Amino acid sequence: LHYKRAGIEIFEERWRGAGGEIDLIGRDSDGLVFVEVKRSKTFARAAESLSRRQLSRIMLSAEDYVERMFPGQLVNMRIDLAMVDTSGQIKVLQNISIL
């Protein structure tokens, strides 16, 4: 609901690609949005639970999705981390990367 309220059309949930599952895939005015959802007691714990390896797998699946759905096209895209705490509060980090 958070993304829908923000004007992002969600058209895939739990999509499985070459690297594994992507929780949500949507589109906003800038391009595709790939979302990893993490639930934990706190936002900090949720953020810490996303490993480099998992982010790499999400990136691989995002590339797979674009290749299948938009072959040969340049597509703007980003990966978000949507964190949900035990009270149901949501915090989103847009365009994440792990260096």
Side-chain angles (χ1 to χ4, degrees):
L1 290 173
H2 171 84
Y3 280 94
K4 289 179 182 178
R5 288 183 195 133
I8 295 173
E9 175 189 8
I10 300 296
F11 43 82
E12 299 283 356
E13 293 182 27
R14 301 183 71 169
W15 187 86
R16 295 202 61 81
E21 185 176 279
I22 296 177
D23 293 326
L24 301 171
I25 302 174
R27 179 187 296 233
D28 67 6
S29 60
D30 294 327
L32 294 178
V33 181
F34 298 91
V35 183
E36 175 66 14
V37 179
K38 291 288 189 183
R39 298 174 200 274
S40 192
K41 286 185 177 184
T42 66
F43 294 137
R45 278 189 159 170
E48 290 169 357
S49 70
L50 181 64
S51 68
R52 289 177 192 254
R53 181 174 177 209
Q54 187 176 19
L55 182 57
S56 293
R57 294 174 64 94
I58 293 166
M59 288 178 183
L60 182 61
S61 288
E63 290 170 358
D64 183 24
Y65 184 84
V66 170
E67 287 174 8
R68 289 185 199 190
M69 304 306 251
F70 305 95
Q73 297 180 40
L74 293 176
V75 177
N76 286 331
M77 58 186 197
R78 73 174 198 250
I79 298 174
D80 288 359
L81 174 60
M83 301 170 291
V84 182
D85 69 11
T86 53
S87 69
Q89 296 291 317
I90 299 169
K91 182 175 182 180
V92 175
L93 298 176
Q94 291 185 353
N95 205 26
I96 62 168
S97 65
I98 297 177
L99 303 175

